[in-house]
Amino acid sequence: MQGERPVTDRSVPLVVLYARKDAFGDGLLRIPALRAARTAFPDSRIVYGAGGGSSLESVLRRHVDHLVDDFRTETPLIDIIREMRPRRRPAAIVDFRNVVPWLLATRFGLVGRRIRYEANFPGFLLSAPLWTIPGARPEHNAWRYHRMVERTAGSSLPFDHTLSVPEAARARARDIVGMFDRPLVLISANSGPRKRLTDQQAAMVAKKLIDEGSRVIYLQSPGKGPTMEALEPLEPRLTVVGPSPELAPEELQDLFLALGEVAAAFIGAEGGMTHFLSTVMTPTVVLNPGSNIRRWRPLSGMVEVVEAGDGRNENTDPAAILAAVHRLIQAGRRDHPDYLSRSAPLSMDSGAR
């Protein structure tokens, strides 16, 4: 390995970003790294690969299609290199996986191949060339992935996790919200068994917030949990926005973002929807059933965390959720005089922003 030469040419013809698999939230946290890679390697062929499926290739593809030249999911990393590496010319691999045996096997399998390898390994100790200076990995996953691209490029790069909101989605949000004379609070907790809320929890939290003067909308996302049919008899004043024959899936996503753009608070389980609304910086109360929140914290500017304690959000006391919402909104009012003017995009004419 001492004979390896560093790949320092930022015009390397092939850059491969590789993951194990990507759920919705995983894909969102990798978008800053993809943007950084395209910035650092504007003339390279950028391939995004995964051993399993990836939300970046499916539901999030329209947000990254201009950054990635090829997707190779359900494909071993070595097969991607064999297929796409042009005549053994220099290449770079950024390996987001964190399974140590896989990283070790990949690292030693690349010896002598003139491939710059950046591995998601403690201290970056598997990165090539081996004489590069090690360093602590950022604790948050999004920053860790981004830092790996920076190390590969040899320079600092912009970090951008935000998504844009189409004006058509803002127009739909205006139709739903109407007069913005009260704080808007969003709730969403459809997910797996550990993360989702019960119908009764969601309805109780909504009822208390509506009684206090807030406008509350439930965002029904994929996964088991509260539905319009279940929530309506429990709290008739609650608006539910979810899948509809009138909206394509990407239009529903954009509508969620448009509502998040103007909400005073969002209550959501740790996972994809919290990361999704953080792309428009929605103040968030994240319900955490036991994930490492330092690694998975939403990238919103304002976040309150409610720990489930026993590993299931459905056992969280609604009073604890309400108390967190109150703290979040009170802190926003204290620290940001214009906190509740997040309604501005809905009150403007289309195209004014």
Side-chain angles (χ1 to χ4, degrees):
M1 286 183 285
Q2 291 183 349
E4 289 188 74
R5 298 292 182 186
V7 178
T8 57
D9 183 358
R10 290 178 60 176
S11 64
V12 290
L14 177 66
V15 177
V16 178
L17 309 178
Y18 195 78
R20 181 171 57 170
K21 61 181 180 178
D22 297 320
F24 191 56
D26 299 319
L28 289 164
L29 292 185
R30 301 202 212 280
I31 288 178
L34 267 67
R35 287 174 170 156
R38 180 49 74 194
T39 298
F41 302 98
D43 301 318
S44 296
R45 185 178 188 181
I46 294 180
V47 179
Y48 191 88
S54 174
S55 58
L56 290 167
E57 187 185 28
S58 53
V59 294
L60 294 171
R61 184 157 184 163
R62 62 201 174 98
H63 298 292
V64 299
D65 228 6
H66 61 296
L67 305 172
V68 177
D69 296 301
D70 297 282
F71 284 93
R72 287 294 185 274
T73 54
E74 310 282 351
T75 307
L77 177 57
I78 191 63
D79 289 351
I80 296 174
I81 297 301
R82 288 170 179 161
E83 175 192 356
M84 296 190 167
R85 186 184 178 194
R87 298 184 181 180
R88 296 184 60 81
R89 293 171 62 190
I93 297 172
V94 181
D95 195 341
F96 296 138
R97 298 175 298 172
N98 62 357
V99 180
V100 170
W102 297 353
L103 299 178
L104 287 167
T106 302
R107 174 67 185 94
F108 289 105
L110 295 174
V111 171
R113 295 195 180 198
R114 298 189 68 208
I115 294 177
R116 174 70 163 92
Y117 182 60
E118 190 67 41
N120 187 5
F121 192 85
F124 300 112
L125 294 178
L126 290 185
S127 297
L130 292 180
W131 53 82
T132 54
I133 299 175
R137 293 177 299 173
E139 195 162 16
H140 195 286
N141 282 332
W143 283 99
R144 181 180 298 184
Y145 307 143
H146 180 267
R147 180 63 184 136
M148 292 169 67
V149 175
E150 286 188 321
R151 286 175 56 89
T152 302
S155 64
S156 298
L157 296 164
F159 181 98
D160 180 7
H161 79 286
T162 60
L163 298 180
S164 59
V165 182
E167 288 300 330
R170 289 188 178 136
R172 291 190 180 98
R174 283 195 292 270
D175 292 340
I176 293 170
V177 174
M179 291 293 295
F180 205 102
D181 53 353
R182 322 174 254 169
L184 174 63
V185 179
L186 307 175
I187 306 175
S188 184
N190 300 90
S191 189
R194 293 175 53 249
K195 295 185 178 184
R196 62 177 174 252
L197 292 180
T198 65
D199 303 334
Q200 291 73 21
Q201 280 174 304
M204 186 177 297
V205 170
K207 180 182 186 305
K208 292 290 187 181
L209 291 170
I210 293 170
D211 288 344
E212 292 170 359
S214 294
R215 172 71 184 273
V216 182
I217 297 177
Y218 188 89
L219 307 181
Q220 184 181 336
S221 63
K224 294 183 178 180
T227 63
M228 179 183 299
E229 294 75 18
L231 292 171
E232 186 172 9
L234 295 174
E235 179 45 74
R237 298 172 295 174
L238 175 63
T239 300
V240 179
V241 175
S244 164
E246 289 76 35
L247 288 176
E250 61 271 15
E251 291 176 321
L252 180 61
Q253 286 184 21
D254 290 337
L255 177 55
F256 286 170
L257 291 180
L259 292 168
E261 192 177 41
V262 296
F266 167 66
I267 305 166
E270 187 281 312
M273 278 294 288
T274 60
H275 295 302
F276 191 53
L277 291 191
S278 79
T279 66
V280 290
M281 301 303 288
T282 312
T284 296
V285 172
V286 56
L287 311 177
N288 183 33
S291 301
N292 183 340
I293 205 65
R294 295 183 300 277
R295 290 186 60 188
W296 295 104
R297 182 183 179 90
L299 292 171
S300 302
M302 298 178 61
V303 178
E304 272 275 351
V305 180
V306 177
E307 300 285 357
D310 57 0
R312 299 180 73 91
N313 281 335
E314 63 184 15
N315 295 326
T316 300
D317 187 350
I321 300 173
L322 288 164
V325 175
H326 294 156
R327 290 194 300 271
L328 186 79
I329 292 178
Q330 288 167 4
R333 287 171 168 164
R334 180 197 66 206
D335 298 333
H336 306 283
D338 60 346
Y339 177 67
L340 293 182
S341 68
R342 285 176 58 86
S343 59
L346 293 189
S347 62
M348 293 179 180
D349 293 334
S350 179
R353 177 170 167 163

